[in-house]
Amino acid sequence: MKKTILAAALAAMMSVPAFAADSADIVVIGSGGAGLSSAITATEKGAKVIVLEKMAFIGGNSNRSEGGMNAAGTKQQLADGVKDDSPDIFFMDTMRGGHYLNNPQLLHTLTTQAAGAEEWLLSLGANFCHRMGRGGGQTRARGHGPCDGSPVGIELMRVLSERADKDHIDIRVNNRVTEILTKGGKVSGVKVKTAKGVETINAKAVVLATGGFGANHKMVEKYRPELKGFSTTNQPGATGDGIVLAQKLGASLTDIEQIQIHPTVIKKNGALISESMRARGGILLNKNGKRFTNELLTRDVVSQNELKQPDGIGFLIVDDSIYKKNKMLRSYVSEKLMTKCDSVEDVAKLIGADPKVVKASFEQYWKAFDSKKDDLFGRPEMVIRLDQAPYYVAQVTPGIHHTMGGVTINPKAEVISKKTEKPIPGLFAAGEVTGGVHGGNRIGGNAVADIVTFGRISGQSAAAYVGK
Ligand code: ADP
């Protein structure tokens, strides 16, 4: 008895489960939202799954996801009176936001299945509500997330990891996959670097769920030299390993040079201030105290508008009416990412701008709210008047956020070979490692929709491939 406990404790210390198997039906590489959605779905179908995660903890960038999960036609939207949304409108908003570069089949899959993916999360116990306020580039309010306004990623990873635990899914942290093995043109397993050395795990199928490459500055610069020196909102493990692993197997890449910069990032530490702060009513001023954009345009356009301002910076301003209701905003303030200002004059002082100019900017916005018409920039929705002091202000600048490009997949999440243009037998992919879903710019709230929707599809497809 004692020996067993000791062995288990030692194994846990080595980050390898006791009695670790060296074979599985399916190996999932990466433990973010896509990886765990895939692993849970494949396990439900009866497949034996091992999840390999290179970092010391699970969750990747999914842990950092703040805004929400987009889905159209949900029961929660209906309950909030949003009765005129549909997968078709969701599709058109995303196409427009992605500059029509999106793969229509993949996007159709996303927009028709996101509501089902959200229901699935609810069935796993996610404490999600519909969120009022439109994100950039959207014509309907279709974000969903924790009811108290806290970040979506933490709740997402809570329910997925609890379910994975319940299903006894073998998740191994500190396990970095260095190679995908093949036999006779089919995937046959992986090589993985652990504390003990390099091991081989045999598997009939592999799901790539390794996320993007937003933390790999060399790779970002290779595809987009002008992004040299930009800070990143990404976790350090977002280095594009999956793209390199898949390329070695001859995978095709889609839109690899499409990299999103997000306009509200704190330069010194890469901390992200969620787009939902603007959706809920926040505005942006430049250092002269003037508004410079419709704050609800897509992230790429708002970023470009911001870069044209003095020093390429903006000041995001929200008020107490948001603060009172939104846990995420309260955490920005307690983490000193946003500063409390007791009055419009104090906002001007913080910005270093002429108080008269700042006052005039607020008055223009109040007028726009009252008349429901923003003459200056044509902002389509103003959910609050923004006149409830104290105000909360953050100095922001664009930072690297999402890599839209990646390995080419079809709607079954099968990875496509560059040479044959057919699926590579046994190789599947989901989430930020893939390209094509988001086109030239990702709409806020579509990443979580993507990783859960395609995570589930990849799990189903891989399970079917291995005969489950
Ligand atoms: P997604 O949103 O697509 O699910 P995430 O960034 O949330 O992507 O998760 C991807 C995970 O994959 C991260 O936790 C990352 O550390 C992990 N990962 C990346 N490369 C490897 C690798 N070579 N081996 C194992 N895990 C990896």
Side-chain angles (χ1 to χ4, degrees):
M1 180 69 178
K2 249 193 180 157
K3 260 188 192 163
T4 317
I5 294 170
L6 192 64
L10 274 175
M13 279 163 63
M14 302 288 286
S15 301
V16 176
F19 320 116
D22 62 359
S23 72
D25 293 321
I26 300 166
V27 161
V28 174
I29 315 175
S31 68
L36 291 197
S37 297
S38 181
I40 292 165
T41 306
T43 304
E44 276 166 8
K45 300 270 171 203
K48 180 177 177 214
V49 179
I50 296 176
V51 179
L52 301 173
E53 168 55 56
K54 72 173 174 180
M55 304 299 280
F57 45 85
I58 66 161
N61 270 346
S62 299
N63 284 333
R64 298 185 173 205
S65 182
E66 298 198 336
M69 173 183 191
N70 289 337
T74 65
K75 285 180 199 136
Q76 294 155 308
Q77 271 182 314
L78 289 177
D80 269 353
V82 181
K83 299 191 170 125
D84 58 349
D85 199 11
S86 69
D88 284 349
I89 301 172
F90 186 11
F91 181 97
M92 279 319 299
D93 284 354
T94 308
M95 264 286 170
R96 204 179 315 109
H99 312 309
Y100 300 92
L101 251 188
N102 320 53
N103 175 313
Q105 287 179 315
L106 295 180
L107 184 56
H108 181 262
T109 307
L110 175 76
T111 53
T112 53
Q113 297 193 31
E118 202 252 344
E119 279 223 358
W120 180 66
L121 291 178
L122 294 177
S123 78
L124 300 186
N127 177 27
F128 278 11
C129 291
H130 171 245
R131 289 178 166 178
M132 296 307 288
R134 299 181 212 172
Q138 301 195 67
T139 62
R140 305 289 187 278
R142 60 172 72 95
H144 299 73
C147 304
D148 60 1
S150 57
V152 68
I154 290 167
E155 178 66 357
L156 171 75
M157 291 315 300
R158 180 189 73 79
V159 293
L160 292 179
S161 58
E162 279 180 15
R163 180 54 185 244
D165 269 2
K166 213 165 152 193
D167 289 348
H168 306 293
I169 296 177
D170 183 351
I171 301 177
R172 305 179 186 184
V173 294
N174 294 318
N175 273 241
R176 181 164 65 87
V177 174
T178 54
E179 195 180 339
I180 300 173
L181 305 169
T182 56
K183 224 181 246 163
K186 291 179 181 172
V187 163
S188 62
V190 295
K191 278 218 161 117
V192 55
K193 202 159 183 290
T194 72
K196 288 195 285 184
V198 177
E199 296 171 19
T200 297
I201 300 177
N202 300 314
K204 292 177 226 147
V206 167
V207 177
L208 279 172
T210 45
F213 59 95
N216 185 336
H217 290 283
K218 271 206 181 120
M219 205 163 159
V220 168
E221 270 173 60
K222 177 177 161 190
Y223 294 115
R224 291 282 297 282
E226 78 277 18
L227 295 181
K228 188 175 175 171
F230 276 64
S231 61
T232 183
T233 62
N234 286 245
Q235 64 103 6
T239 49
D241 300 14
I243 290 163
V244 179
L245 291 169
Q247 269 186 304
K248 286 195 182 137
L249 263 59
S252 162
L253 300 185
T254 297
D255 299 337
I256 194 70
E257 68 296 335
Q258 297 298 335
I259 298 169
Q260 178 176 76
I261 49 172
H262 190 300
T264 55
V265 177
I266 309 279
K267 179 140 182 127
K268 62 174 190 272
N269 56 6
L272 176 74
I273 305 291
S274 168
E275 181 172 332
S276 59
M277 290 298 118
R278 279 170 288 140
R280 287 165 187 269
I283 61 166
L284 286 165
L285 299 186
N286 66 15
K287 65 184 281 191
N288 296 331
K290 292 189 173 165
R291 277 181 75 212
F292 55 88
T293 187
N294 160 6
E295 292 84 356
L296 299 186
L297 290 171
T298 50
R299 291 170 176 180
D300 56 338
V301 182
V302 176
S303 291
Q304 289 310 326
N305 290 344
E306 193 168 71
L307 287 171
K308 287 180 203 145
Q309 304 312 307
D311 299 340
I313 59 169
F315 291 88
L316 174 71
I317 299 167
V318 292
D319 78 359
D320 202 46
S321 68
I322 307 177
Y323 183 86
K324 277 195 184 113
K325 285 189 235 150
N326 193 276
K327 201 169 168 185
M328 189 155 50
L329 171 53
R330 293 198 290 275
S331 74
Y332 292 150
V333 178
S334 65
E335 287 164 26
K336 300 197 174 6
L337 299 175
M338 296 191 85
T339 308
K340 183 177 169 191
C341 296
D342 286 325
S343 61
V344 171
E345 289 69 32
D346 277 358
V347 172
K349 209 183 276 170
L350 186 87
I351 292 179
D354 182 344
K356 281 194 213 106
V357 177
V358 175
K359 183 98 194 289
S361 294
F362 272 83
E363 282 170 355
Q364 179 275 331
Y365 195 77
W366 295 335
K367 204 172 136 223
F369 177 87
D370 294 341
S371 63
K372 295 199 171 17
K373 193 162 179 280
D374 174 24
D375 286 330
L376 216 45
F377 295 107
R379 178 174 170 141
E381 188 179 68
M382 290 158 275
V383 283
I384 57 161
R385 194 163 187 263
L386 203 73
D387 59 359
Q388 303 293 306
Y391 297 97
Y392 300 90
V393 183
Q395 181 181 318
V396 291
T397 193
I400 295 158
H401 188 52
H402 191 93
T403 49
M404 279 76 69
V407 301
T408 308
I409 54 166
N410 63 17
K412 290 181 178 168
E414 295 168 321
V415 175
I416 303 301
S417 152
K418 192 172 174 187
K419 197 162 145 206
T420 66
E421 296 183 4
K422 293 208 169 87
I424 297 173
L427 189 59
F428 302 84
E432 198 175 343
V433 69
T434 68
V437 175
H438 306 288
N441 173 62
R442 179 174 68 70
I443 292 280
N446 276 357
V448 175
D450 173 14
I451 61 182
V452 181
T453 303
F454 280 96
R456 292 175 79 208
I457 294 172
S458 66
Q460 274 156 16
S461 296
Y465 177 83
V466 303
K468 300 289 175 181

